[in-house]
Amino acid sequence: MAALGSFDVILETCREISSTSCQRARTLSRLRSRHACKTRGRCIAFAGSSSTKDQYLLRASVREPVNNKQVIIKSANRSRKGKGKQSPSKQLPDTLPAEESGENQTAATLTAAQRAKFAERLQDAQRIEDLLELVRDAEMLNPSEVAVLPVVLMQLYKQRSGREQAAVVTHAFFEGLIKPWALEPSKLPVQEQLATLNCLVEMNRWNPGAGHALTRSIIMVSHAVKNSLQGVPNQFTATHLLQILGSCNKTVVMRQACPQLALACLTACVRQLDSLNPDQLAQVAFTSSQTNLRLNLKGADQMRVLVRAGVARAPAMSALSLTQFVFGAVALGNMKPAHIQTLVTTALGVVPQCSAAALKNLLWALGTVGSADHRLLLALEAQLLSQSPYLGASHVSMAVWAFGRLNHLPQLGLMQELANQAMLNSASLTTKHSKQLLWGWYTLRYYPPDALLEAIAKRLTPLVHNMDARTLSEFIWAFGGLNYEPSNMQLFLQAAQDRSWQMNTHDISQTMRGLANLRLGSRLLVQALVRRASTILDTFNTQALANLAWSMAHLNYKHEGLLDAIVNQLLRNVDDMNQRDVADLLSALAMLKHQPITQATDAIVQHMIHLLQEPGTTWVLQDLSTVCWSVAKLNVGNRTLLDLIYHRILVDIPVLSAKDISYQLWGFAVLGYPLQSQVLAAYWDRLQHVLADLDPVDLSHVMWAVARLDSYPAPGLLDALLATLPPQISSAEPAAVVIIAHACGALRHHPGDAVLAAIEDHAQQNSSSYTCANWSALLQTFTRVHARPNRLFPLLLQEVYPQP
């Protein structure tokens, strides 16, 4: 296609068209005013307007009953009433307009050759200037022919990103051609109503900011089409109905302002089910679901009829049509379990033929339903791998989201391939795609490469300021769940702080959880969220309350008043708490060293006992370990609770994690709960398999419990435990190092020169953080294990006798 013309030429031509359009609109307004002032029974003479379409509009619309007769505007090519039987015109008359000069002129006939010449020019248009000339000459066309022009204009403008030029051309095109036709759409024949509606919708999709006049015209024409559908639906073919449904989804104006049009069209489709082939039926369901009508159509009789017919004809549908039908039926909420099973069985046979778009439709439907046949999931995995070179950003994000909704972790090769495709298409990721990806990865506990997460975060940088509170909270929560802090995280935090006053219960809970997972102590944001939570605390459910307390604890943010309010509100709804809520609340109170009133603690413990005694309840080992550690920290030694926890974990000791073992041993040791020798032996055996997972805090718990329980494991195991300290001691807190050293002294066990040297190095590098009690415990340890702390003496002397 040849290069486009200069913008200056385009602008000048558009100004000329706009000037002509305004003059024509003023003429039309003046003629209508003259007609309104005429007395009853008098005829209005009209000797040609500035355009043929103005003649057409006035001739078709300005009719009033006068003495049981009609006053009909005279035109250049029609005789008066009574001179012959008149038949309504289906299109513009084949005449060129006469000039408005006050003299009668002979109208030139527009021949078939002239129309063919115009169509040829339309096909050969290579430049914007050619299209603008066609716009000026298009007054001789009817709406069906004019509807081709926006499509051609869009094809030309796809070659450049000139939105300003597009806006100018659209305005001229609308003012010069479409507006007069849209003023009285109900007077147009049905075919021309559809052509006009399609033309207006295409213009609005091409340039959404074209103005309120275009929006009003779209609404007027859509109402006219709706009335035609409700009045004489048989004049619409299946192709027409699909065209209308497609128009209802193309722009925001159509989705929000014209829902009744789609509903009327859907009703007409149901009446003509016999004339719809299987693929057309699938297209009706799919297109209907794309509109903003889900709330209006759920449970509607016509949708139930449509779904039943679609399920019966599903085997005859193509792969794409079948996935579109499944998508539409699920989106409109009319799928029964029997229907789902039938469609899943049918879909299993066509998955190998599915394209990327068809896979996307099917994955969305399955993810929305929340269940799928295992064989179908395996087939989808294989087809996604084969179609991976053709997967775009929307396909990848939909696949990850759907697998997350189904709680199905695909094979590692597919997840890596999806991550690779997401990286390749990161520049085209939208906010929705990014949310789906992050949510799916976190739900599946799949951690993509840091480079991909950073690319997603950078792609979101220009979009952050336009995000609402819900979206910001979801991104902070997702990054926290994936344990990744992007380089622009402060941008998200600042935007969340600015919108904290808009956050609801869910938003606050997610944001605080994300901050806690990343240990991002953004003080101003946390304070803003706590203030907001305090004002709407009565809207929090038990899960959100426990989550808020847990997040505050992990952020080390203690707010006595809010914690008391959380506990009091939970007591009023204690029966609604599940095991995770109890574990989160108790761990938060323990970490913040917040001792609630005795009645509150007793009520929570009694509810915990009830949950443990309830038959058939499946407990997460992590929650049991957290409760065991928390009640020990809060000094709640309820023997019944400890017995229940003890018997619950006995069979699961061989699969415990390092942290679970450290929490349980420490909790039982603090509360003085007697552990049988065979149980301790099982703990020691499990520890040998998880040594690499012990951090300094876990090691301090285990060592303290060993010293307190007076259960000396095999020397080889104790040395192996202590050997894990030197590589991690640089990140350890002084309290953990002192506890480990103190346990060695209590057991009279020499930890080895390497461990003692690491302890001395840590004390020397962090001397300002060590208290007198810490120094005393270290010296006592060295004394008990018969070691000489050469480097500790100068540090201790400086601490006891500081230099002036």
Side-chain angles (χ1 to χ4, degrees), residues 152-411:
V152 180
L153 284 171
M154 281 192 296
Q155 291 296 329
L156 288 179
Y157 265 104
K158 284 181 180 179
Q159 302 176 42
R160 64 163 60 178
S161 57
R163 291 198 174 187
E164 183 179 358
Q165 297 95 314
V168 172
V169 176
T170 302
H171 178 74
F173 186 62
F174 169 66
E175 292 292 338
L177 286 174
I178 304 302
K179 187 176 180 179
W181 281 329
L183 291 177
E184 291 288 346
S186 60
K187 305 300 182 181
L188 293 175
V190 169
Q191 299 297 332
E192 296 181 2
Q193 288 181 20
L194 295 180
T196 304
L197 177 64
N198 184 62
C199 191
L200 291 170
V201 170
E202 288 293 333
M203 292 174 64
N204 182 241
R205 185 176 67 165
W206 179 30
N207 184 22
H212 296 294
L214 180 58
T215 301
R216 288 196 301 270
S217 298
I218 290 176
I219 296 174
M220 292 172 63
V221 175
S222 69
H223 287 175
V225 175
K226 180 201 70 174
N227 293 335
S228 300
L229 278 169
Q230 294 175 341
V232 191
N234 294 332
Q235 60 186 324
F236 292 88
T237 65
T239 304
H240 294 153
L241 296 174
L242 287 173
Q243 178 185 348
I244 296 172
L245 282 174
S247 298
C248 291
N249 183 50
K250 285 183 178 179
T251 65
V252 176
V253 173
M254 291 297 293
R255 285 194 296 268
Q256 295 182 353
C258 310
Q260 296 303 318
L261 172 61
L263 186 58
C265 185
L266 181 62
T267 304
C269 288
V270 172
R271 292 173 182 170
Q272 300 183 29
L273 275 180
D274 295 337
S275 64
L276 297 176
N277 61 44
D279 290 344
Q280 288 177 330
L281 193 151
Q283 191 66 28
V284 170
F286 179 74
T287 312
S288 299
S289 68
Q290 297 292 296
T291 63
N292 194 29
L293 300 177
R294 286 189 286 272
L295 294 178
N296 297 340
L297 296 179
K298 275 187 176 179
D301 293 338
Q302 55 265 45
M303 277 310 303
R304 285 195 288 269
V305 173
L306 186 67
V307 169
R308 285 199 298 269
V311 171
R313 302 185 198 178
M317 295 179 184
S318 64
L320 179 60
S321 296
L322 178 62
T323 60
Q324 287 179 335
F325 175 76
V326 176
F327 181 103
V330 171
L332 293 166
N334 287 272
M335 291 289 285
K336 295 181 179 179
H339 294 158
I340 295 174
Q341 185 60 39
T342 302
L343 292 177
V344 164
T345 304
T346 307
L348 189 59
V350 302
V351 167
Q353 309 165 22
C354 286
S355 62
L359 290 172
K360 177 184 173 183
N361 295 335
L362 189 55
L363 284 167
W364 182 90
L366 295 175
T368 304
V369 172
S371 63
D373 184 82
H374 185 66
R375 296 173 301 164
L376 179 59
L377 291 176
L378 294 179
L380 287 171
E381 290 184 34
Q383 187 64 9
L384 280 170
L385 273 176
S386 65
Q387 291 288 320
S388 60
Y390 311 104
L391 298 179
S394 61
H395 307 109
V396 173
S397 61
M398 184 60 69
V400 174
W401 174 85
F403 285 131
R405 286 274 301 174
L406 296 169
N407 198 23
H408 172 76
L409 180 61
Q411 55 181 302

Side-chain angles (χ1 to χ4, degrees), residues 616-636:
T617 305
T618 303
W619 276 79
V620 180
L621 289 175
Q622 181 182 354
D623 294 338
L624 288 171
S625 304
T626 301
V627 170
C628 186
W629 176 87
S630 301
V631 294
K633 197 79 173 177
L634 294 171
N635 197 24
V636 180

Side-chain angles (χ1 to χ4, degrees), residues 4 220 389 695 731:
L4 299 178
M220 292 172 63
D695 59 29
S731 61

Side-chain angles (χ1 to χ4, degrees), residues 476-514:
I476 295 173
W477 171 82
F479 281 123
L482 294 172
N483 197 27
Y484 179 76
E485 181 182 353
S487 58
N488 60 346
M489 191 64 182
Q490 290 301 320
L491 191 63
F492 289 89
L493 301 183
Q494 183 61 48
Q497 181 181 333
D498 296 338
R499 293 165 180 75
S500 60
W501 60 275
Q502 299 174 334
M503 290 188 176
N504 58 20
T505 301
H506 179 78
D507 304 335
I508 295 172
S509 179
Q510 282 198 315
T511 305
M512 290 289 287
R513 193 84 182 192

Side-chain angles (χ1 to χ4, degrees), residues 633-648:
K633 197 79 173 177
L634 294 171
N635 197 24
V636 180
N638 189 295
R639 186 59 182 259
T640 304
L641 177 62
L642 294 177
D643 286 341
L644 290 170
I645 294 175
Y646 176 76
H647 288 98
R648 282 269 185 174

